[in-house]
Amino acid sequence: MPLVLTALVILCGAVAAVTGELTEARLSPLRARIVAIADSQIGYRTNPSHTYCNKYSAYWHAGQDTCGNTNRDEEWCADFAAWVWQKAGASATYELAPGDINSASASFYLWGVRHGTWHPVGNGYVPQPGDVVVYGLNTATLVAKHVAVVTGFDAGSRGPDVVNGDGDRSAFSVVESGRDQYRSDTAKGSQAVVSGYVSPEPRAG
């Protein structure tokens, strides 16, 4: 490799590293923890495979106890996002009552409205790492197709970079990342697009 090109590659790598450090430095401690915890789960798979049996629903004692192990069985994108928020120190009260977070994807929308942290698409809000993105929301029926944890957003992108719980792009029901994810990472909900974002709040005390 010519010397000039080698120097350029090294310089670009250094710039990228510095940019990444600056981006991390701008995050609040809570948001940085959310991103780190979500990233740490990439590659997780359900057990048994080809079921929805997962540890995140089990953490919340949600779903069916039919897995033959300590996991619980239910579709779990919202359980995963709530687990990440909880582990990071965000306010994530998991209850079936209206306005609380639970296994329903639309519960994040209702929680965001209740806490004043809901940002619908089109209002000018730029998604931030640590937010939860809601896909395919129907406010009339209070149903949404999917949620994921936001890890970044590039100017000019249609959607955020995310970590999906119960993703279905690379395999059945896994934790996986996605870039510029404008459409939901679900087989049946692949036509569902971003509806808005919910920002976390630190847990009191």
Side-chain angles (χ1 to χ4, degrees), residues 157-196:
S157 295
R158 298 178 71 192
D161 300 337
V162 300
V163 172
N164 296 279
D166 200 5
D168 202 22
R169 185 184 67 258
S170 64
F172 176 78
S173 200
V174 299
V175 177
E176 60 188 357
S177 61
R179 288 187 60 80
D180 193 6
Q181 193 168 302
Y182 178 68
R183 297 187 184 277
S184 63
D185 183 8
T186 54
K188 294 180 180 179
S190 60
Q191 298 305 308
V193 299
V194 175
S195 299

PDB file of all heavy atoms in Angstrom, residues 157-196:
ATOM      1  N   SER A 157     -30.984   9.452   7.294  1.00  0.00           N
ATOM      2  CA  SER A 157     -31.554   8.109   7.321  1.00  0.00           C
ATOM      3  C   SER A 157     -33.069   8.173   7.466  1.00  0.00           C
ATOM      4  O   SER A 157     -33.623   9.126   8.006  1.00  0.00           O
ATOM      5  CB  SER A 157     -30.977   7.306   8.494  1.00  0.00           C
ATOM      6  OG  SER A 157     -29.597   7.094   8.333  1.00  0.00           O
ATOM      7  N   ARG A 158     -33.735   7.145   6.989  1.00  0.00           N
ATOM      8  CA  ARG A 158     -35.189   7.070   7.137  1.00  0.00           C
ATOM      9  C   ARG A 158     -35.583   6.529   8.505  1.00  0.00           C
ATOM     10  O   ARG A 158     -36.666   6.809   9.003  1.00  0.00           O
ATOM     11  CB  ARG A 158     -35.786   6.181   6.047  1.00  0.00           C
ATOM     12  CG  ARG A 158     -35.554   6.692   4.629  1.00  0.00           C
ATOM     13  CD  ARG A 158     -36.131   5.729   3.619  1.00  0.00           C
ATOM     14  NE  ARG A 158     -37.581   5.756   3.628  1.00  0.00           N
ATOM     15  CZ  ARG A 158     -38.347   4.843   3.016  1.00  0.00           C
ATOM     16  NH1 ARG A 158     -37.790   3.824   2.400  1.00  0.00           N
ATOM     17  NH2 ARG A 158     -39.666   4.939   3.050  1.00  0.00           N
ATOM     18  N   GLY A 159     -34.693   5.713   9.096  1.00  0.00           N
ATOM     19  CA  GLY A 159     -34.991   5.111  10.386  1.00  0.00           C
ATOM     20  C   GLY A 159     -33.755   5.044  11.253  1.00  0.00           C
ATOM     21  O   GLY A 159     -32.644   5.348  10.806  1.00  0.00           O
ATOM     22  N   PRO A 160     -33.917   4.617  12.480  1.00  0.00           N
ATOM     23  CA  PRO A 160     -32.794   4.582  13.422  1.00  0.00           C
ATOM     24  C   PRO A 160     -31.991   3.294  13.301  1.00  0.00           C
ATOM     25  O   PRO A 160     -32.438   2.309  12.704  1.00  0.00           O
ATOM     26  CB  PRO A 160     -33.501   4.638  14.774  1.00  0.00           C
ATOM     27  CG  PRO A 160     -34.777   3.868  14.531  1.00  0.00           C
ATOM     28  CD  PRO A 160     -35.188   4.216  13.119  1.00  0.00           C
ATOM     29  N   ASP A 161     -30.803   3.294  13.891  1.00  0.00           N
ATOM     30  CA  ASP A 161     -30.068   2.064  14.160  1.00  0.00           C
ATOM     31  C   ASP A 161     -30.628   1.501  15.463  1.00  0.00           C
ATOM     32  O   ASP A 161     -30.859   2.255  16.422  1.00  0.00           O
ATOM     33  CB  ASP A 161     -28.574   2.322  14.304  1.00  0.00           C
ATOM     34  CG  ASP A 161     -27.961   2.935  13.052  1.00  0.00           C
ATOM     35  OD1 ASP A 161     -28.550   2.774  11.958  1.00  0.00           O
ATOM     36  OD2 ASP A 161     -26.912   3.586  13.179  1.00  0.00           O
ATOM     37  N   VAL A 162     -30.846   0.191  15.509  1.00  0.00           N
ATOM     38  CA  VAL A 162     -31.550  -0.391  16.648  1.00  0.00           C
ATOM     39  C   VAL A 162     -30.972  -1.741  17.032  1.00  0.00           C
ATOM     40  O   VAL A 162     -30.225  -2.362  16.273  1.00  0.00           O
ATOM     41  CB  VAL A 162     -33.058  -0.588  16.332  1.00  0.00           C
ATOM     42  CG1 VAL A 162     -33.733   0.729  16.009  1.00  0.00           C
ATOM     43  CG2 VAL A 162     -33.252  -1.595  15.203  1.00  0.00           C
ATOM     44  N   VAL A 163     -31.357  -2.187  18.224  1.00  0.00           N
ATOM     45  CA  VAL A 163     -31.226  -3.584  18.625  1.00  0.00           C
ATOM     46  C   VAL A 163     -32.642  -4.104  18.848  1.00  0.00           C
ATOM     47  O   VAL A 163     -33.419  -3.525  19.608  1.00  0.00           O
ATOM     48  CB  VAL A 163     -30.379  -3.750  19.895  1.00  0.00           C
ATOM     49  CG1 VAL A 163     -30.431  -5.199  20.385  1.00  0.00           C
ATOM     50  CG2 VAL A 163     -28.926  -3.353  19.632  1.00  0.00           C
ATOM     51  N   ASN A 164     -32.981  -5.184  18.150  1.00  0.00           N
ATOM     52  CA  ASN A 164     -34.302  -5.795  18.217  1.00  0.00           C
ATOM     53  C   ASN A 164     -34.310  -6.993  19.138  1.00  0.00           C
ATOM     54  O   ASN A 164     -33.469  -7.893  19.003  1.00  0.00           O
ATOM     55  CB  ASN A 164     -34.719  -6.310  16.834  1.00  0.00           C
ATOM     56  CG  ASN A 164     -34.873  -5.224  15.810  1.00  0.00           C
ATOM     57  OD1 ASN A 164     -35.894  -4.558  15.750  1.00  0.00           O
ATOM     58  ND2 ASN A 164     -33.852  -5.046  14.980  1.00  0.00           N
ATOM     59  N   GLY A 165     -35.242  -7.043  20.051  1.00  0.00           N
ATOM     60  CA  GLY A 165     -35.586  -8.293  20.692  1.00  0.00           C
ATOM     61  C   GLY A 165     -36.652  -8.967  19.857  1.00  0.00           C
ATOM     62  O   GLY A 165     -37.503  -8.284  19.275  1.00  0.00           O
ATOM     63  N   ASP A 166     -36.627 -10.298  19.787  1.00  0.00           N
ATOM     64  CA  ASP A 166     -37.591 -11.047  18.972  1.00  0.00           C
ATOM     65  C   ASP A 166     -37.512 -10.636  17.507  1.00  0.00           C
ATOM     66  O   ASP A 166     -38.515 -10.533  16.816  1.00  0.00           O
ATOM     67  CB  ASP A 166     -39.013 -10.849  19.506  1.00  0.00           C
ATOM     68  CG  ASP A 166     -39.978 -11.942  19.056  1.00  0.00           C
ATOM     69  OD1 ASP A 166     -39.513 -12.906  18.405  1.00  0.00           O
ATOM     70  OD2 ASP A 166     -41.177 -11.824  19.343  1.00  0.00           O
ATOM     71  N   GLY A 167     -36.282 -10.387  17.043  1.00  0.00           N
ATOM     72  CA  GLY A 167     -36.089 -10.070  15.635  1.00  0.00           C
ATOM     73  C   GLY A 167     -36.291 -11.293  14.764  1.00  0.00           C
ATOM     74  O   GLY A 167     -36.186 -12.434  15.226  1.00  0.00           O
ATOM     75  N   ASP A 168     -36.557 -11.060  13.483  1.00  0.00           N
ATOM     76  CA  ASP A 168     -36.884 -12.176  12.602  1.00  0.00           C
ATOM     77  C   ASP A 168     -36.272 -12.005  11.216  1.00  0.00           C
ATOM     78  O   ASP A 168     -36.773 -12.550  10.246  1.00  0.00           O
ATOM     79  CB  ASP A 168     -38.404 -12.301  12.485  1.00  0.00           C
ATOM     80  CG  ASP A 168     -38.850 -13.684  12.045  1.00  0.00           C
ATOM     81  OD1 ASP A 168     -38.076 -14.633  12.219  1.00  0.00           O
ATOM     82  OD2 ASP A 168     -39.970 -13.803  11.525  1.00  0.00           O
ATOM     83  N   ARG A 169     -35.185 -11.241  11.151  1.00  0.00           N
ATOM     84  CA  ARG A 169     -34.551 -11.025   9.852  1.00  0.00           C
ATOM     85  C   ARG A 169     -33.515 -12.101   9.539  1.00  0.00           C
ATOM     86  O   ARG A 169     -33.524 -12.703   8.475  1.00  0.00           O
ATOM     87  CB  ARG A 169     -33.892  -9.640   9.799  1.00  0.00           C
ATOM     88  CG  ARG A 169     -33.300  -9.293   8.430  1.00  0.00           C
ATOM     89  CD  ARG A 169     -32.559  -7.953   8.442  1.00  0.00           C
ATOM     90  NE  ARG A 169     -31.362  -8.000   9.255  1.00  0.00           N
ATOM     91  CZ  ARG A 169     -31.246  -7.495  10.486  1.00  0.00           C
ATOM     92  NH1 ARG A 169     -32.280  -6.894  11.044  1.00  0.00           N
ATOM     93  NH2 ARG A 169     -30.126  -7.574  11.160  1.00  0.00           N
ATOM     94  N   SER A 170     -32.605 -12.366  10.462  1.00  0.00           N
ATOM     95  CA  SER A 170     -31.531 -13.327  10.221  1.00  0.00           C
ATOM     96  C   SER A 170     -31.870 -14.728  10.716  1.00  0.00           C
ATOM     97  O   SER A 170     -31.280 -15.710  10.266  1.00  0.00           O
ATOM     98  CB  SER A 170     -30.236 -12.841  10.897  1.00  0.00           C
ATOM     99  OG  SER A 170     -30.396 -12.801  12.306  1.00  0.00           O
ATOM    100  N   ALA A 171     -32.795 -14.828  11.637  1.00  0.00           N
ATOM    101  CA  ALA A 171     -33.213 -16.119  12.184  1.00  0.00           C
ATOM    102  C   ALA A 171     -34.515 -15.906  12.937  1.00  0.00           C
ATOM    103  O   ALA A 171     -34.972 -14.772  13.090  1.00  0.00           O
ATOM    104  CB  ALA A 171     -32.140 -16.691  13.109  1.00  0.00           C
ATOM    105  N   PHE A 172     -35.098 -16.993  13.425  1.00  0.00           N
ATOM    106  CA  PHE A 172     -36.369 -16.892  14.131  1.00  0.00           C
ATOM    107  C   PHE A 172     -36.161 -16.440  15.566  1.00  0.00           C
ATOM    108  O   PHE A 172     -35.409 -17.066  16.315  1.00  0.00           O
ATOM    109  CB  PHE A 172     -37.089 -18.244  14.122  1.00  0.00           C
ATOM    110  CG  PHE A 172     -38.371 -18.257  14.899  1.00  0.00           C
ATOM    111  CD1 PHE A 172     -39.527 -17.712  14.372  1.00  0.00           C
ATOM    112  CD2 PHE A 172     -38.419 -18.778  16.186  1.00  0.00           C
ATOM    113  CE1 PHE A 172     -40.714 -17.706  15.095  1.00  0.00           C
ATOM    114  CE2 PHE A 172     -39.592 -18.782  16.917  1.00  0.00           C
ATOM    115  CZ  PHE A 172     -40.746 -18.248  16.372  1.00  0.00           C
ATOM    116  N   SER A 173     -36.783 -15.356  15.954  1.00  0.00           N
ATOM    117  CA  SER A 173     -36.871 -14.919  17.354  1.00  0.00           C
ATOM    118  C   SER A 173     -35.512 -14.821  18.035  1.00  0.00           C
ATOM    119  O   SER A 173     -35.178 -15.586  18.939  1.00  0.00           O
ATOM    120  CB  SER A 173     -37.778 -15.877  18.137  1.00  0.00           C
ATOM    121  OG  SER A 173     -38.252 -15.280  19.324  1.00  0.00           O
ATOM    122  N   VAL A 174     -34.724 -13.834  17.596  1.00  0.00           N
ATOM    123  CA  VAL A 174     -33.375 -13.606  18.128  1.00  0.00           C
ATOM    124  C   VAL A 174     -33.213 -12.131  18.500  1.00  0.00           C
ATOM    125  O   VAL A 174     -34.058 -11.297  18.173  1.00  0.00           O
ATOM    126  CB  VAL A 174     -32.295 -13.987  17.090  1.00  0.00           C
ATOM    127  CG1 VAL A 174     -32.400 -15.456  16.726  1.00  0.00           C
ATOM    128  CG2 VAL A 174     -32.396 -13.110  15.842  1.00  0.00           C
ATOM    129  N   VAL A 175     -32.118 -11.825  19.185  1.00  0.00           N
ATOM    130  CA  VAL A 175     -31.723 -10.431  19.388  1.00  0.00           C
ATOM    131  C   VAL A 175     -30.733 -10.087  18.286  1.00  0.00           C
ATOM    132  O   VAL A 175     -29.700 -10.742  18.151  1.00  0.00           O
ATOM    133  CB  VAL A 175     -31.079 -10.213  20.767  1.00  0.00           C
ATOM    134  CG1 VAL A 175     -30.625  -8.756  20.905  1.00  0.00           C
ATOM    135  CG2 VAL A 175     -32.052 -10.560  21.889  1.00  0.00           C
ATOM    136  N   GLU A 176     -31.053  -9.077  17.500  1.00  0.00           N
ATOM    137  CA  GLU A 176     -30.180  -8.698  16.401  1.00  0.00           C
ATOM    138  C   GLU A 176     -30.232  -7.190  16.189  1.00  0.00           C
ATOM    139  O   GLU A 176     -31.184  -6.521  16.576  1.00  0.00           O
ATOM    140  CB  GLU A 176     -30.555  -9.435  15.123  1.00  0.00           C
ATOM    141  CG  GLU A 176     -31.973  -9.189  14.637  1.00  0.00           C
ATOM    142  CD  GLU A 176     -32.357 -10.092  13.481  1.00  0.00           C
ATOM    143  OE1 GLU A 176     -31.504 -10.873  13.013  1.00  0.00           O
ATOM    144  OE2 GLU A 176     -33.514 -10.016  13.028  1.00  0.00           O
ATOM    145  N   SER A 177     -29.164  -6.671  15.570  1.00  0.00           N
ATOM    146  CA  SER A 177     -29.084  -5.238  15.307  1.00  0.00           C
ATOM    147  C   SER A 177     -29.577  -4.942  13.898  1.00  0.00           C
ATOM    148  O   SER A 177     -29.621  -5.824  13.034  1.00  0.00           O
ATOM    149  CB  SER A 177     -27.639  -4.744  15.467  1.00  0.00           C
ATOM    150  OG  SER A 177     -26.789  -5.397  14.547  1.00  0.00           O
ATOM    151  N   GLY A 178     -29.934  -3.692  13.685  1.00  0.00           N
ATOM    152  CA  GLY A 178     -30.368  -3.249  12.358  1.00  0.00           C
ATOM    153  C   GLY A 178     -29.977  -1.802  12.142  1.00  0.00           C
ATOM    154  O   GLY A 178     -30.061  -0.995  13.073  1.00  0.00           O
ATOM    155  N   ARG A 179     -29.541  -1.473  10.947  1.00  0.00           N
ATOM    156  CA  ARG A 179     -29.172  -0.099  10.609  1.00  0.00           C
ATOM    157  C   ARG A 179     -30.248   0.536   9.743  1.00  0.00           C
ATOM    158  O   ARG A 179     -30.836  -0.132   8.883  1.00  0.00           O
ATOM    159  CB  ARG A 179     -27.830  -0.067   9.868  1.00  0.00           C
ATOM    160  CG  ARG A 179     -26.634  -0.370  10.775  1.00  0.00           C
ATOM    161  CD  ARG A 179     -25.317  -0.152  10.047  1.00  0.00           C
ATOM    162  NE  ARG A 179     -25.167   1.223   9.576  1.00  0.00           N
ATOM    163  CZ  ARG A 179     -24.788   2.247  10.343  1.00  0.00           C
ATOM    164  NH1 ARG A 179     -24.542   2.054  11.630  1.00  0.00           N
ATOM    165  NH2 ARG A 179     -24.670   3.462   9.838  1.00  0.00           N
ATOM    166  N   ASP A 180     -30.489   1.834   9.983  1.00  0.00           N
ATOM    167  CA  ASP A 180     -31.488   2.575   9.210  1.00  0.00           C
ATOM    168  C   ASP A 180     -32.778   1.765   9.128  1.00  0.00           C
ATOM    169  O   ASP A 180     -33.341   1.578   8.059  1.00  0.00           O
ATOM    170  CB  ASP A 180     -30.939   2.869   7.811  1.00  0.00           C
ATOM    171  CG  ASP A 180     -31.784   3.903   7.064  1.00  0.00           C
ATOM    172  OD1 ASP A 180     -32.725   4.473   7.658  1.00  0.00           O
ATOM    173  OD2 ASP A 180     -31.506   4.135   5.867  1.00  0.00           O
ATOM    174  N   GLN A 181     -33.242   1.304  10.264  1.00  0.00           N
ATOM    175  CA  GLN A 181     -34.385   0.397  10.288  1.00  0.00           C
ATOM    176  C   GLN A 181     -35.689   1.181  10.288  1.00  0.00           C
ATOM    177  O   GLN A 181     -36.269   1.482  11.329  1.00  0.00           O
ATOM    178  CB  GLN A 181     -34.313  -0.546  11.487  1.00  0.00           C
ATOM    179  CG  GLN A 181     -35.302  -1.703  11.354  1.00  0.00           C
ATOM    180  CD  GLN A 181     -35.052  -2.785  12.359  1.00  0.00           C
ATOM    181  OE1 GLN A 181     -33.966  -3.360  12.425  1.00  0.00           O
ATOM    182  NE2 GLN A 181     -36.052  -3.077  13.165  1.00  0.00           N
ATOM    183  N   TYR A 182     -36.124   1.481   9.094  1.00  0.00           N
ATOM    184  CA  TYR A 182     -37.364   2.216   8.900  1.00  0.00           C
ATOM    185  C   TYR A 182     -38.571   1.295   9.050  1.00  0.00           C
ATOM    186  O   TYR A 182     -39.622   1.710   9.523  1.00  0.00           O
ATOM    187  CB  TYR A 182     -37.337   2.848   7.512  1.00  0.00           C
ATOM    188  CG  TYR A 182     -38.569   3.617   7.123  1.00  0.00           C
ATOM    189  CD1 TYR A 182     -38.913   4.797   7.754  1.00  0.00           C
ATOM    190  CD2 TYR A 182     -39.418   3.155   6.116  1.00  0.00           C
ATOM    191  CE1 TYR A 182     -40.036   5.514   7.393  1.00  0.00           C
ATOM    192  CE2 TYR A 182     -40.549   3.853   5.744  1.00  0.00           C
ATOM    193  CZ  TYR A 182     -40.852   5.030   6.385  1.00  0.00           C
ATOM    194  OH  TYR A 182     -41.979   5.726   6.016  1.00  0.00           O
ATOM    195  N   ARG A 183     -38.402   0.042   8.648  1.00  0.00           N
ATOM    196  CA  ARG A 183     -39.468  -0.944   8.769  1.00  0.00           C
ATOM    197  C   ARG A 183     -39.154  -1.919   9.893  1.00  0.00           C
ATOM    198  O   ARG A 183     -37.999  -2.181  10.198  1.00  0.00           O
ATOM    199  CB  ARG A 183     -39.647  -1.711   7.451  1.00  0.00           C
ATOM    200  CG  ARG A 183     -40.079  -0.819   6.293  1.00  0.00           C
ATOM    201  CD  ARG A 183     -40.417  -1.649   5.062  1.00  0.00           C
ATOM    202  NE  ARG A 183     -40.742  -0.796   3.941  1.00  0.00           N
ATOM    203  CZ  ARG A 183     -41.931  -0.244   3.717  1.00  0.00           C
ATOM    204  NH1 ARG A 183     -42.914  -0.462   4.581  1.00  0.00           N
ATOM    205  NH2 ARG A 183     -42.144   0.523   2.672  1.00  0.00           N
ATOM    206  N   SER A 184     -40.200  -2.475  10.471  1.00  0.00           N
ATOM    207  CA  SER A 184     -40.014  -3.350  11.633  1.00  0.00           C
ATOM    208  C   SER A 184     -39.337  -4.659  11.239  1.00  0.00           C
ATOM    209  O   SER A 184     -39.503  -5.158  10.123  1.00  0.00           O
ATOM    210  CB  SER A 184     -41.367  -3.653  12.289  1.00  0.00           C
ATOM    211  OG  SER A 184     -42.208  -4.361  11.403  1.00  0.00           O
ATOM    212  N   ASP A 185     -38.595  -5.214  12.166  1.00  0.00           N
ATOM    213  CA  ASP A 185     -37.838  -6.450  11.975  1.00  0.00           C
ATOM    214  C   ASP A 185     -38.685  -7.638  12.421  1.00  0.00           C
ATOM    215  O   ASP A 185     -38.371  -8.343  13.374  1.00  0.00           O
ATOM    216  CB  ASP A 185     -36.536  -6.373  12.778  1.00  0.00           C
ATOM    217  CG  ASP A 185     -35.646  -7.593  12.574  1.00  0.00           C
ATOM    218  OD1 ASP A 185     -35.967  -8.415  11.690  1.00  0.00           O
ATOM    219  OD2 ASP A 185     -34.667  -7.733  13.296  1.00  0.00           O
ATOM    220  N   THR A 186     -39.798  -7.835  11.741  1.00  0.00           N
ATOM    221  CA  THR A 186     -40.679  -8.956  12.036  1.00  0.00           C
ATOM    222  C   THR A 186     -41.215  -9.498  10.722  1.00  0.00           C
ATOM    223  O   THR A 186     -41.459  -8.741   9.776  1.00  0.00           O
ATOM    224  CB  THR A 186     -41.879  -8.530  12.905  1.00  0.00           C
ATOM    225  OG1 THR A 186     -42.551  -7.435  12.270  1.00  0.00           O
ATOM    226  CG2 THR A 186     -41.430  -8.116  14.286  1.00  0.00           C
ATOM    227  N   ALA A 187     -41.405 -10.802  10.658  1.00  0.00           N
ATOM    228  CA  ALA A 187     -41.857 -11.420   9.407  1.00  0.00           C
ATOM    229  C   ALA A 187     -43.253 -10.934   9.012  1.00  0.00           C
ATOM    230  O   ALA A 187     -43.476 -10.501   7.886  1.00  0.00           O
ATOM    231  CB  ALA A 187     -41.844 -12.939   9.543  1.00  0.00           C
ATOM    232  N   LYS A 188     -44.176 -10.974   9.971  1.00  0.00           N
ATOM    233  CA  LYS A 188     -45.547 -10.580   9.658  1.00  0.00           C
ATOM    234  C   LYS A 188     -45.724  -9.069   9.630  1.00  0.00           C
ATOM    235  O   LYS A 188     -46.649  -8.570   9.016  1.00  0.00           O
ATOM    236  CB  LYS A 188     -46.507 -11.194  10.673  1.00  0.00           C
ATOM    237  CG  LYS A 188     -46.574 -12.718  10.610  1.00  0.00           C
ATOM    238  CD  LYS A 188     -47.543 -13.256  11.638  1.00  0.00           C
ATOM    239  CE  LYS A 188     -47.608 -14.777  11.580  1.00  0.00           C
ATOM    240  NZ  LYS A 188     -48.525 -15.325  12.599  1.00  0.00           N
ATOM    241  N   GLY A 189     -44.831  -8.358  10.312  1.00  0.00           N
ATOM    242  CA  GLY A 189     -45.003  -6.909  10.403  1.00  0.00           C
ATOM    243  C   GLY A 189     -44.001  -6.136   9.580  1.00  0.00           C
ATOM    244  O   GLY A 189     -43.725  -4.985   9.865  1.00  0.00           O
ATOM    245  N   SER A 190     -43.430  -6.769   8.565  1.00  0.00           N
ATOM    246  CA  SER A 190     -42.350  -6.135   7.821  1.00  0.00           C
ATOM    247  C   SER A 190     -42.789  -4.879   7.077  1.00  0.00           C
ATOM    248  O   SER A 190     -41.957  -4.091   6.657  1.00  0.00           O
ATOM    249  CB  SER A 190     -41.735  -7.132   6.829  1.00  0.00           C
ATOM    250  OG  SER A 190     -42.714  -7.594   5.914  1.00  0.00           O
ATOM    251  N   GLN A 191     -44.088  -4.704   6.886  1.00  0.00           N
ATOM    252  CA  GLN A 191     -44.584  -3.493   6.243  1.00  0.00           C
ATOM    253  C   GLN A 191     -44.860  -2.371   7.241  1.00  0.00           C
ATOM    254  O   GLN A 191     -45.196  -1.266   6.853  1.00  0.00           O
ATOM    255  CB  GLN A 191     -45.866  -3.807   5.463  1.00  0.00           C
ATOM    256  CG  GLN A 191     -45.660  -4.812   4.336  1.00  0.00           C
ATOM    257  CD  GLN A 191     -44.571  -4.380   3.378  1.00  0.00           C
ATOM    258  OE1 GLN A 191     -44.585  -3.257   2.868  1.00  0.00           O
ATOM    259  NE2 GLN A 191     -43.610  -5.248   3.127  1.00  0.00           N
ATOM    260  N   ALA A 192     -44.719  -2.669   8.538  1.00  0.00           N
ATOM    261  CA  ALA A 192     -44.960  -1.660   9.561  1.00  0.00           C
ATOM    262  C   ALA A 192     -43.772  -0.713   9.639  1.00  0.00           C
ATOM    263  O   ALA A 192     -42.624  -1.144   9.717  1.00  0.00           O
ATOM    264  CB  ALA A 192     -45.186  -2.321  10.911  1.00  0.00           C
ATOM    265  N   VAL A 193     -44.040   0.578   9.608  1.00  0.00           N
ATOM    266  CA  VAL A 193     -42.976   1.578   9.626  1.00  0.00           C
ATOM    267  C   VAL A 193     -42.952   2.303  10.961  1.00  0.00           C
ATOM    268  O   VAL A 193     -43.836   2.134  11.801  1.00  0.00           O
ATOM    269  CB  VAL A 193     -43.152   2.588   8.468  1.00  0.00           C
ATOM    270  CG1 VAL A 193     -43.080   1.877   7.129  1.00  0.00           C
ATOM    271  CG2 VAL A 193     -44.475   3.342   8.603  1.00  0.00           C
ATOM    272  N   VAL A 194     -41.907   3.121  11.130  1.00  0.00           N
ATOM    273  CA  VAL A 194     -41.741   3.868  12.386  1.00  0.00           C
ATOM    274  C   VAL A 194     -42.939   4.778  12.632  1.00  0.00           C
ATOM    275  O   VAL A 194     -43.334   5.551  11.759  1.00  0.00           O
ATOM    276  CB  VAL A 194     -40.452   4.705  12.345  1.00  0.00           C
ATOM    277  CG1 VAL A 194     -40.356   5.577  13.597  1.00  0.00           C
ATOM    278  CG2 VAL A 194     -39.221   3.814  12.225  1.00  0.00           C
ATOM    279  N   SER A 195     -43.491   4.688  13.833  1.00  0.00           N
ATOM    280  CA  SER A 195     -44.585   5.573  14.237  1.00  0.00           C
ATOM    281  C   SER A 195     -44.120   6.676  15.168  1.00  0.00           C
ATOM    282  O   SER A 195     -44.699   7.766  15.186  1.00  0.00           O
ATOM    283  CB  SER A 195     -45.682   4.764  14.947  1.00  0.00           C
ATOM    284  OG  SER A 195     -46.228   3.788  14.098  1.00  0.00           O
ATOM    285  N   GLY A 196     -43.068   6.401  15.952  1.00  0.00           N
ATOM    286  CA  GLY A 196     -42.569   7.402  16.881  1.00  0.00           C
ATOM    287  C   GLY A 196     -41.584   6.790  17.859  1.00  0.00           C
ATOM    288  O   GLY A 196     -41.227   5.613  17.756  1.00  0.00           O
TER     289      GLY A 196
END
